[in-house]
Amino acid sequence: MPSPNLLAPIDHDRRTERLSFTGSGAEYFRIWIANTLLSIVTLGIYSAWAKVRKERYFYGHTHLAGTSFDYHGRPIPILKGRLLAAALFVLYGVATQTSPKLLVAVVVAYLAIVPWIVVKALQFRARVSSWRGIRFAFDGSFGESYFVFGLLTVCLPLTLGLIAPYWWFRRHRFSFHNLRFGQTRCTFSALPGQYYRAFLTLVVIGLAIALAAVFLVAVVVMVTFVEVEDPGEATAQGLLFVGVGYATGIVGGSMINGLARGLLGNLSLGKTSVGPHALSTRFDPGSLAWIQLVNTVLIVLTLGLYIPFAQIRLAKYLISNTALEVDGDLDSFVANESNSVSATGGEIADVFDIDVGW
Amino acid sequence: MSGGEMNAPSARAQYFDGRNSRSTAVDVTLAEQGALAIRGDGFAFDVPRAALRVGARVGRSTWSVELERGASLAFEAGPDAERLLAALDSSPTTRWIQRLERSGRWAALCVLSLVVVTWLFVKYGVPALAARAAVLVPPDVERAIGAQGLQWIDGWLDPSQLSDDRRSAVEAAFERARTAVPDLTGLRLERRAGGPLRANAFALPGGIVVMTDELAHLVAHDDELVAVFLHEFGHLERHHGMRRLLEGSIVALLSLLLTSDVSTVASVGTGLPAVLLQAGYSRAEEREADAFALDALERIGVPRRALGDVLVRIEAETGSSGIPEILSTHPETSSRVDATRR
Ligand SMILES: [Zn+2]
C-alpha cells in the first residue's frame, strides 16, 4: 500500500530548522536516581551502563527536522576506559604524594599525555553520535592538539593569562573545525578578536560580581560582628562569616559560569557550519547566568537531588536555542566508511575532567 | 501487509539505510523467530533476529534498533513500540532496570537508600579513607597547611606575654617532651596569649604546637607541661589533624563532584583550611593521644599522673573537660584521668 513519506520534510532552498529537546525533569529524575544508586552499590562498575543510559536519554530527546540524535557508545569499552583512567589517576596520586620532586615529572607526563587523550576523546564522542543513521567523525590531528593543549597551555601562565581568549579560540576551533558529519566537513568561522571581546565582557562582569560579593560579605561582617569572650560563640561567628563567604562564592561562581557558557557557546557552536548549513545559537548570557544560579542554589538546598532537573533545564535551554540554517536539503548527507575507536580516550577525559566541549 | 498473524506486534518507525541521511517512514512488524518485517513505500524486506541490535530503551525518548551495515530504525516511544521491542529484548535484567527507572515508588525507595548509603559512607567510609590518606600526605604539604592555620589563628590571638622565667620553663618542657619522641620531626612550639581560648594547647598539621600563656601559668609543675606537649605530639603522630582536614576535603569534594560544578572548587578550596581547623577530635582520638602521652612519659621517667593532674586543672579552670582543643568532643575527664592512674 502506498504510504506517503510523512517524516521527510519538503525541502525548500533555505529554511531554519530549530532543534528541540523533549526530555522532562520528572522522568529523568527516576532514571538518574536508579542509575546513581546502582552505580554506588556496584562500586562504580554500573556507572558505565549509567553513562550509556544517560547519553541515550539526552540524545533521544534531542530532535532536528523530525529525527532525534542517537548515541551508540557501549558499556564494556567505556568500563575498560574508566578502569584504565582510574588506575592512571591512582598512579598520579601516588606519584605526587611520594615525592614532591616527582611532581615535575608528573606535570610533564601530564602535558605529554593530555593532548593525546583529547584527540581520542573527541574521536570517540563523534564516532558514537549519529543523526539519521549517519555517524559523526573527528579529524583533528595530534600535532594541532599538542600545539593547543600542550604548548599554548604552558604559555598560559607565562603570559599571565593574556592568551587565554586565544587559547579558548584554538580549543573551540580544534573541536569544531575538525568535526565531520559523515563525509560532510564542519567549518568554524569565529575569529580570535571575538573571543577577546567576549573575555573582556566576562572579566568586567566577573569583577562586578566579585566586588558585589566582597561588599555583601563586608556588610554582613560589620552588621553581625560583636566582640565575644566565649570560644564557642567566637567559633560560631567565624563559621557564619566563612559560610557567608562560601555562599556568595558559589552564587557568583555559578553566574560567571552561566555567562561564560552563553558567550562562548555563541562563539563556538554558533559559528559552526555543517557543510553549507550554518548552526546558529541565541544563547542569552544573562538567562544562562540565571539558570545556573537557580540550578546551583536548588542543588545545594536539595543536597544534590535537583541535579537531574538542573541538567534537563540547562539542556532544554541550550538545545531549544540552537537552530540549523538549512541551505538545500538534509537528505543528501553521505555516510563515511565506518571505523571503530576505543572508548578509552573519552573515559580518561571524564576522570581527569578535561573540558573538551564548550 | 504480510499475511498471517494479525496480532503480531507492530509499530511505525523511521528507517535509515546508513549510507545517506534520507529518512523513510516504515511499518515494522514482528515476524517469525524474532525477525522484523520492514515495509515502506516501494520496498519490503525482513531482517533476522541475529542481525538486530536493540538499544537500551531509556525513558520515553526515541528508541533505536541497529540493523546490518549501519542501517537503523528509530521508534517514537509509545505502547506499540514498547510491545514490539519488548518482544525482541525481554531479558529479566532489561525489564528490571526499566521498572526501576520508570516507577515513582522505586524512585522514592532509591532516594531513601541513597540517603542511607551516603550517611554510612560519610560516617564510616570517609574516616577510613582519610586515615589511609593522611599518612601519605608529604611532610612539606602538611607543614604548609599548618603554617596557614597558624596565620589564621594569629588573626585571633595576641602574642605571648610570658615572663622570661616562664618562657624558658615552657621551652625546656617542650625540649624534654621532644626527647621522648625522636621519630617525630618538624616539631615547633608557638606561644600565644590565650584570649577567648583561655588555658589551651593544640597541634597543627606539620608539627606546630600552640600553647597559651594561661596554660603555662595554670600548671603546678612543669611535668604537666611535658604531659600536655606529649598529648599533642600524640595527635601529630597519628595525623589526627590531617585526618580531620582530609575528611572535610573528601566530603567537600564529593559534594562538589555530585553537584558537578567544578568552577566553584577553586573558590571553596581557598577558605577550606580555616573551617576545618575548627573541627575537634573524636573521643577515640583523645584517648589515643592520651595513651601515646602516657607511654612517652614513662620512657622519659615523668610520672604518669602529670597528665591526669593537668586534665583536672584545665577542667576546673575552663569548665570544659580535658585539654580543650578548639570545640572538641571530649571524653569525660574523669575517665581519662582514671586511665592515667592505671
Ligand atoms: Zn587532645
Side-chain angles (χ1 to χ4, degrees), chain A residues 41-63:
Chain A
V41 298
T42 57
L43 300 174
I45 303 286
Y46 189 77
S47 72
W49 279 260
K51 184 197 165 96
V52 169
R53 300 186 80 83
K54 178 198 169 177
E55 297 292 355
R56 287 187 66 80
Y57 184 84
F58 279 85
Y59 275 61
H61 273 300
T62 304
H63 308 273

Side-chain angles (χ1 to χ4, degrees), chain B residues 231-232 235 281 286 289 323 325 336:
Chain B
H231 171 90
E232 297 307 331
H235 284 310
Y281 301 126
E286 291 304 341
I323 296 172
E325 274 89 10
R336 291 174 66 187

Side-chain angles (χ1 to χ4, degrees), chain A residues 27 53 70 235 307 330 335, chain B residues 19 21 60 64 101 258 278:
Chain A
E27 182 188 40
R53 300 186 80 83
D70 201 0
T235 312
I307 291 169
L330 293 177
Chain B
R19 290 188 296 276
S21 59
R60 298 186 57 79
S64 61
E101 284 181 345
L258 265 178
Q278 314 236 0

Side-chain angles (χ1 to χ4, degrees), chain B residues 65-239:
Chain B
V65 174
E66 288 177 35
L67 313 173
E68 285 165 309
R69 284 185 293 277
S72 58
L73 294 166
F75 296 86
E76 277 313 310
D80 288 349
E82 177 69 58
R83 214 156 69 88
L84 177 68
L85 297 182
L88 290 174
D89 173 26
S90 59
S91 73
T93 331
T94 305
R95 274 193 311 212
W96 185 74
I97 286 172
Q98 278 182 347
R99 196 172 323 144
L100 208 62
E101 284 181 345
R102 289 176 186 180
S103 124
R105 209 173 309 154
W106 273 107
L109 207 67
C110 284
V111 172
L112 213 70
S113 334
L114 206 60
V115 169
V116 171
V117 167
T118 309
W119 182 80
L120 285 175
F121 181 70
V122 169
K123 183 108 185 14
Y124 301 104
V126 171
L129 266 176
R132 298 248 155 75
V135 290
L136 292 174
V137 176
D140 286 351
V141 174
E142 262 194 297
R143 271 195 286 281
I145 293 169
Q148 204 184 341
L150 186 67
Q151 211 173 26
W152 181 74
I153 285 161
D154 277 339
W156 292 64
L157 300 183
D158 293 326
S160 166
Q161 287 160 353
L162 281 184
S163 64
D164 288 352
D165 275 7
R166 275 323 280 150
R167 198 186 66 211
S168 48
V170 169
E171 274 161 11
F174 192 79
E175 288 313 313
R176 271 174 75 201
R178 196 208 290 267
T179 57
V181 287
D183 293 344
L184 271 181
T185 55
L187 296 174
R188 195 173 101 210
L189 174 66
E190 290 284 341
R191 289 171 294 101
R192 295 291 182 275
L197 300 179
R198 289 186 273 185
N200 208 326
F202 49 92
L204 299 171
I208 296 172
V209 174
V210 182
M211 166 174 272
T212 66
D213 295 352
E214 285 83 341
L215 184 56
H217 288 305
L218 182 68
V219 294
H221 193 285
D222 291 345
D223 283 354
E224 293 174 14
L225 290 176
V226 177
V228 168
F229 289 137
L230 286 172
H231 171 90
E232 297 307 331
F233 294 171
H235 284 310
L236 288 172
E237 203 260 348
R238 301 279 142 82
H239 300 276

